[in-house]
PDB file of all heavy atoms in Angstrom:
ATOM      1  N   GLN D 336      83.571 -66.374   0.863  1.00 78.00           N
ATOM      2  CA  GLN D 336      82.552 -66.834   1.802  1.00 78.00           C
ATOM      3  C   GLN D 336      82.868 -66.445   3.246  1.00 78.00           C
ATOM      4  O   GLN D 336      81.986 -66.462   4.105  1.00 78.00           O
ATOM      5  CB  GLN D 336      82.368 -68.342   1.680  1.00 78.00           C
ATOM      6  CG  GLN D 336      81.824 -68.751   0.314  1.00 78.00           C
ATOM      7  CD  GLN D 336      81.511 -70.235   0.211  1.00 78.00           C
ATOM      8  OE1 GLN D 336      81.176 -70.880   1.199  1.00 78.00           O
ATOM      9  NE2 GLN D 336      81.621 -70.777  -1.000  1.00 78.00           N
ATOM     10  N   GLY D 337      84.143 -66.095   3.508  1.00 70.00           N
ATOM     11  CA  GLY D 337      84.518 -65.634   4.844  1.00 70.00           C
ATOM     12  C   GLY D 337      84.292 -64.154   5.034  1.00 70.00           C
ATOM     13  O   GLY D 337      84.674 -63.579   6.067  1.00 70.00           O
ATOM     14  N   GLY D 338      83.682 -63.486   4.033  1.00 62.00           N
ATOM     15  CA  GLY D 338      83.331 -62.073   4.178  1.00 62.00           C
ATOM     16  C   GLY D 338      84.483 -61.111   3.977  1.00 62.00           C
ATOM     17  O   GLY D 338      84.401 -59.947   4.374  1.00 62.00           O
ATOM     18  N   THR D 339      85.579 -61.581   3.353  1.00 58.00           N
ATOM     19  CA  THR D 339      86.721 -60.688   3.128  1.00 58.00           C
ATOM     20  C   THR D 339      86.376 -59.587   2.125  1.00 58.00           C
ATOM     21  O   THR D 339      86.853 -58.460   2.231  1.00 58.00           O
ATOM     22  CB  THR D 339      87.933 -61.508   2.625  1.00 58.00           C
ATOM     23  OG1 THR D 339      88.265 -62.451   3.635  1.00 58.00           O
ATOM     24  CG2 THR D 339      89.130 -60.621   2.347  1.00 58.00           C
ATOM     25  N   PHE D 340      85.552 -59.918   1.132  1.00 49.00           N
ATOM     26  CA  PHE D 340      85.193 -58.945   0.106  1.00 49.00           C
ATOM     27  C   PHE D 340      83.746 -58.492   0.299  1.00 49.00           C
ATOM     28  O   PHE D 340      82.897 -59.260   0.754  1.00 49.00           O
ATOM     29  CB  PHE D 340      85.346 -59.562  -1.300  1.00 49.00           C
ATOM     30  CG  PHE D 340      86.695 -60.146  -1.545  1.00 49.00           C
ATOM     31  CD1 PHE D 340      86.853 -61.520  -1.756  1.00 49.00           C
ATOM     32  CD2 PHE D 340      87.828 -59.355  -1.559  1.00 49.00           C
ATOM     33  CE1 PHE D 340      88.105 -62.075  -1.966  1.00 49.00           C
ATOM     34  CE2 PHE D 340      89.084 -59.910  -1.765  1.00 49.00           C
ATOM     35  CZ  PHE D 340      89.218 -61.265  -1.978  1.00 49.00           C
ATOM     36  N   ARG D 341      83.459 -57.261  -0.090  1.00 46.00           N
ATOM     37  CA  ARG D 341      82.080 -56.783  -0.089  1.00 46.00           C
ATOM     38  C   ARG D 341      81.255 -57.575  -1.102  1.00 46.00           C
ATOM     39  O   ARG D 341      81.789 -58.092  -2.088  1.00 46.00           O
ATOM     40  CB  ARG D 341      82.008 -55.298  -0.470  1.00 46.00           C
ATOM     41  CG  ARG D 341      82.746 -54.360   0.439  1.00 46.00           C
ATOM     42  CD  ARG D 341      82.447 -52.922   0.062  1.00 46.00           C
ATOM     43  NE  ARG D 341      82.585 -52.657  -1.360  1.00 46.00           N
ATOM     44  CZ  ARG D 341      83.727 -52.355  -1.971  1.00 46.00           C
ATOM     45  NH1 ARG D 341      84.847 -52.302  -1.265  1.00 46.00           N
ATOM     46  NH2 ARG D 341      83.775 -52.121  -3.269  1.00 46.00           N
ATOM     47  N   ALA D 342      79.965 -57.634  -0.895  1.00 47.00           N
ATOM     48  CA  ALA D 342      79.091 -58.429  -1.769  1.00 47.00           C
ATOM     49  C   ALA D 342      79.158 -57.966  -3.213  1.00 47.00           C
ATOM     50  O   ALA D 342      79.085 -58.774  -4.141  1.00 47.00           O
ATOM     51  CB  ALA D 342      77.656 -58.357  -1.263  1.00 47.00           C
ATOM     52  N   ASN D 343      79.345 -56.640  -3.418  1.00 46.00           N
ATOM     53  CA  ASN D 343      79.353 -56.115  -4.787  1.00 46.00           C
ATOM     54  C   ASN D 343      80.761 -55.845  -5.318  1.00 46.00           C
ATOM     55  O   ASN D 343      80.930 -55.214  -6.353  1.00 46.00           O
ATOM     56  CB  ASN D 343      78.528 -54.812  -4.851  1.00 46.00           C
ATOM     57  CG  ASN D 343      79.131 -53.716  -3.979  1.00 46.00           C
ATOM     58  OD1 ASN D 343      79.963 -54.005  -3.133  1.00 46.00           O
ATOM     59  ND2 ASN D 343      78.711 -52.483  -4.185  1.00 46.00           N
ATOM     60  N   GLN D 344      81.768 -56.309  -4.574  1.00 49.00           N
ATOM     61  CA  GLN D 344      83.146 -56.008  -4.972  1.00 49.00           C
ATOM     62  C   GLN D 344      83.574 -56.884  -6.153  1.00 49.00           C
ATOM     63  O   GLN D 344      83.316 -58.088  -6.169  1.00 49.00           O
ATOM     64  CB  GLN D 344      84.094 -56.245  -3.785  1.00 49.00           C
ATOM     65  CG  GLN D 344      85.526 -55.785  -4.031  1.00 49.00           C
ATOM     66  CD  GLN D 344      86.355 -55.858  -2.742  1.00 49.00           C
ATOM     67  OE1 GLN D 344      85.810 -55.953  -1.657  1.00 49.00           O
ATOM     68  NE2 GLN D 344      87.664 -55.803  -2.877  1.00 49.00           N
ATOM     69  N   VAL D 345      84.227 -56.249  -7.135  1.00 44.00           N
ATOM     70  CA  VAL D 345      84.746 -57.000  -8.291  1.00 44.00           C
ATOM     71  C   VAL D 345      86.108 -57.574  -7.893  1.00 44.00           C
ATOM     72  O   VAL D 345      87.019 -56.842  -7.532  1.00 44.00           O
ATOM     73  CB  VAL D 345      84.888 -56.084  -9.527  1.00 44.00           C
ATOM     74  CG1 VAL D 345      85.494 -56.866 -10.683  1.00 44.00           C
ATOM     75  CG2 VAL D 345      83.535 -55.513  -9.913  1.00 44.00           C
ATOM     76  N   VAL D 346      86.225 -58.902  -7.954  1.00 45.00           N
ATOM     77  CA  VAL D 346      87.452 -59.571  -7.513  1.00 45.00           C
ATOM     78  C   VAL D 346      88.003 -60.408  -8.661  1.00 45.00           C
ATOM     79  O   VAL D 346      87.279 -61.155  -9.303  1.00 45.00           O
ATOM     80  CB  VAL D 346      87.169 -60.492  -6.300  1.00 45.00           C
ATOM     81  CG1 VAL D 346      88.455 -61.130  -5.817  1.00 45.00           C
ATOM     82  CG2 VAL D 346      86.505 -59.702  -5.182  1.00 45.00           C
ATOM     83  N   GLU D 347      89.316 -60.273  -8.897  1.00 47.00           N
ATOM     84  CA  GLU D 347      89.949 -61.103  -9.933  1.00 47.00           C
ATOM     85  C   GLU D 347      89.946 -62.563  -9.493  1.00 47.00           C
ATOM     86  O   GLU D 347      89.949 -62.874  -8.308  1.00 47.00           O
ATOM     87  CB  GLU D 347      91.408 -60.672 -10.129  1.00 47.00           C
ATOM     88  CG  GLU D 347      91.589 -59.357 -10.845  1.00 47.00           C
ATOM     89  CD  GLU D 347      93.077 -59.117 -11.105  1.00 47.00           C
ATOM     90  OE1 GLU D 347      93.775 -58.657 -10.211  1.00 47.00           O
ATOM     91  OE2 GLU D 347      93.510 -59.415 -12.229  1.00 47.00           O
ATOM     92  N   GLU D 348      89.996 -63.466 -10.470  1.00 48.00           N
ATOM     93  CA  GLU D 348      90.195 -64.873 -10.134  1.00 48.00           C
ATOM     94  C   GLU D 348      91.637 -65.073  -9.661  1.00 48.00           C
ATOM     95  O   GLU D 348      92.537 -64.346 -10.035  1.00 48.00           O
ATOM     96  CB  GLU D 348      89.939 -65.757 -11.364  1.00 48.00           C
ATOM     97  CG  GLU D 348      88.469 -65.940 -11.673  1.00 48.00           C
ATOM     98  CD  GLU D 348      88.260 -67.015 -12.721  1.00 48.00           C
ATOM     99  OE1 GLU D 348      89.199 -67.785 -12.977  1.00 48.00           O
ATOM    100  OE2 GLU D 348      87.159 -67.071 -13.271  1.00 48.00           O
ATOM    101  N   ARG D 349      91.841 -66.099  -8.825  1.00 43.00           N
ATOM    102  CA  ARG D 349      93.180 -66.413  -8.290  1.00 43.00           C
ATOM    103  C   ARG D 349      93.815 -65.157  -7.715  1.00 43.00           C
ATOM    104  O   ARG D 349      94.910 -64.752  -8.072  1.00 43.00           O
ATOM    105  CB  ARG D 349      94.092 -67.039  -9.358  1.00 43.00           C
ATOM    106  CG  ARG D 349      93.523 -68.269 -10.006  1.00 43.00           C
ATOM    107  CD  ARG D 349      94.572 -69.139 -10.678  1.00 43.00           C
ATOM    108  NE  ARG D 349      95.696 -68.391 -11.195  1.00 43.00           N
ATOM    109  CZ  ARG D 349      95.760 -67.859 -12.410  1.00 43.00           C
ATOM    110  NH1 ARG D 349      94.737 -67.964 -13.227  1.00 43.00           N
ATOM    111  NH2 ARG D 349      96.836 -67.222 -12.815  1.00 43.00           N
ATOM    112  N   VAL D 350      93.088 -64.532  -6.775  1.00 45.00           N
ATOM    113  CA  VAL D 350      93.496 -63.244  -6.235  1.00 45.00           C
ATOM    114  C   VAL D 350      94.814 -63.348  -5.461  1.00 45.00           C
ATOM    115  O   VAL D 350      95.564 -62.388  -5.365  1.00 45.00           O
ATOM    116  CB  VAL D 350      92.362 -62.658  -5.354  1.00 45.00           C
ATOM    117  CG1 VAL D 350      92.163 -63.467  -4.094  1.00 45.00           C
ATOM    118  CG2 VAL D 350      92.600 -61.206  -5.041  1.00 45.00           C
ATOM    119  N   MET D 351      95.150 -64.542  -4.953  1.00 45.00           N
ATOM    120  CA  MET D 351      96.397 -64.704  -4.196  1.00 45.00           C
ATOM    121  C   MET D 351      97.620 -64.740  -5.101  1.00 45.00           C
ATOM    122  O   MET D 351      98.736 -64.503  -4.659  1.00 45.00           O
ATOM    123  CB  MET D 351      96.344 -65.985  -3.362  1.00 45.00           C
ATOM    124  CG  MET D 351      95.366 -65.928  -2.209  1.00 45.00           C
ATOM    125  SD  MET D 351      95.847 -64.767  -0.937  1.00 45.00           S
ATOM    126  CE  MET D 351      97.129 -65.701  -0.110  1.00 45.00           C
ATOM    127  N   ASP D 352      97.436 -65.091  -6.393  1.00 42.00           N
ATOM    128  CA  ASP D 352      98.568 -65.066  -7.326  1.00 42.00           C
ATOM    129  C   ASP D 352      98.758 -63.629  -7.794  1.00 42.00           C
ATOM    130  O   ASP D 352      98.226 -63.217  -8.816  1.00 42.00           O
ATOM    131  CB  ASP D 352      98.316 -66.001  -8.518  1.00 42.00           C
ATOM    132  CG  ASP D 352      98.533 -67.462  -8.150  1.00 42.00           C
ATOM    133  OD1 ASP D 352      99.140 -67.711  -7.097  1.00 42.00           O
ATOM    134  OD2 ASP D 352      98.110 -68.340  -8.911  1.00 42.00           O
ATOM    135  N   SER D 353      99.547 -62.869  -7.020  1.00 46.00           N
ATOM    136  CA  SER D 353      99.631 -61.433  -7.264  1.00 46.00           C
ATOM    137  C   SER D 353     100.703 -61.063  -8.277  1.00 46.00           C
ATOM    138  O   SER D 353     100.642 -60.013  -8.902  1.00 46.00           O
ATOM    139  CB  SER D 353      99.906 -60.700  -5.945  1.00 46.00           C
ATOM    140  OG  SER D 353     101.006 -61.304  -5.277  1.00 46.00           O
ATOM    141  N   GLY D 354     101.709 -61.914  -8.470  1.00 50.00           N
ATOM    142  CA  GLY D 354     102.774 -61.600  -9.418  1.00 50.00           C
ATOM    143  C   GLY D 354     102.345 -61.865 -10.859  1.00 50.00           C
ATOM    144  O   GLY D 354     101.545 -62.762 -11.125  1.00 50.00           O
ATOM    145  N   ALA D 355     102.897 -61.071 -11.797  1.00 53.00           N
ATOM    146  CA  ALA D 355     102.536 -61.242 -13.213  1.00 53.00           C
ATOM    147  C   ALA D 355     102.867 -62.650 -13.705  1.00 53.00           C
ATOM    148  O   ALA D 355     102.077 -63.281 -14.409  1.00 53.00           O
ATOM    149  CB  ALA D 355     103.264 -60.203 -14.052  1.00 53.00           C
ATOM    150  N   LEU D 356     104.039 -63.152 -13.313  1.00 46.00           N
ATOM    151  CA  LEU D 356     104.435 -64.502 -13.741  1.00 46.00           C
ATOM    152  C   LEU D 356     103.507 -65.568 -13.151  1.00 46.00           C
ATOM    153  O   LEU D 356     103.180 -66.552 -13.817  1.00 46.00           O
ATOM    154  CB  LEU D 356     105.876 -64.785 -13.289  1.00 46.00           C
ATOM    155  CG  LEU D 356     106.981 -64.450 -14.286  1.00 46.00           C
ATOM    156  CD1 LEU D 356     108.334 -64.608 -13.623  1.00 46.00           C
ATOM    157  CD2 LEU D 356     106.895 -65.340 -15.504  1.00 46.00           C
ATOM    158  N   GLU D 357     103.086 -65.358 -11.898  1.00 44.00           N
ATOM    159  CA  GLU D 357     102.184 -66.331 -11.272  1.00 44.00           C
ATOM    160  C   GLU D 357     100.850 -66.387 -12.015  1.00 44.00           C
ATOM    161  O   GLU D 357     100.291 -67.464 -12.230  1.00 44.00           O
ATOM    162  CB  GLU D 357     101.951 -65.940  -9.806  1.00 44.00           C
ATOM    163  CG  GLU D 357     103.192 -66.074  -8.933  1.00 44.00           C
ATOM    164  CD  GLU D 357     102.925 -65.691  -7.494  1.00 44.00           C
ATOM    165  OE1 GLU D 357     102.381 -64.617  -7.244  1.00 44.00           O
ATOM    166  OE2 GLU D 357     103.269 -66.491  -6.607  1.00 44.00           O
ATOM    167  N   ARG D 358     100.349 -65.211 -12.394  1.00 46.00           N
ATOM    168  CA  ARG D 358      99.047 -65.178 -13.062  1.00 46.00           C
ATOM    169  C   ARG D 358      99.137 -65.788 -14.459  1.00 46.00           C
ATOM    170  O   ARG D 358      98.232 -66.483 -14.915  1.00 46.00           O
ATOM    171  CB  ARG D 358      98.537 -63.734 -13.140  1.00 46.00           C
ATOM    172  CG  ARG D 358      98.309 -63.113 -11.779  1.00 46.00           C
ATOM    173  CD  ARG D 358      97.470 -61.855 -11.860  1.00 46.00           C
ATOM    174  NE  ARG D 358      96.096 -62.177 -12.243  1.00 46.00           N
ATOM    175  CZ  ARG D 358      95.180 -62.685 -11.433  1.00 46.00           C
ATOM    176  NH1 ARG D 358      95.480 -62.924 -10.170  1.00 46.00           N
ATOM    177  NH2 ARG D 358      93.971 -62.958 -11.855  1.00 46.00           N
ATOM    178  N   GLU D 359     100.254 -65.529 -15.165  1.00 51.00           N
ATOM    179  CA  GLU D 359     100.406 -66.059 -16.525  1.00 51.00           C
ATOM    180  C   GLU D 359     100.556 -67.575 -16.519  1.00 51.00           C
ATOM    181  O   GLU D 359      99.986 -68.273 -17.345  1.00 51.00           O
ATOM    182  CB  GLU D 359     101.621 -65.432 -17.201  1.00 51.00           C
ATOM    183  CG  GLU D 359     101.388 -63.983 -17.625  1.00 51.00           C
ATOM    184  CD  GLU D 359     102.677 -63.324 -18.084  1.00 51.00           C
ATOM    185  OE1 GLU D 359     103.583 -64.037 -18.545  1.00 51.00           O
ATOM    186  OE2 GLU D 359     102.779 -62.098 -17.968  1.00 51.00           O
TER     187      GLU D 359
END
């Protein structure tokens, strides 16, 4: 909502959890 991503950009969920262990 702060306009960091383009309107049509595909963004993963929990984008800040960048490490594999964090995402798992």
Side-chain angles (χ1 to χ4, degrees):
Q336 295 185 30
T339 299
F340 306 115
R341 300 187 311 275
N343 63 344
Q344 188 171 344
V345 177
V346 183
E347 287 186 278
E348 283 191 15
R349 304 200 329 272
V350 68
M351 291 293 283
D352 283 345
S353 50
L356 268 172
E357 292 181 309
R358 298 195 68 77
E359 286 171 27

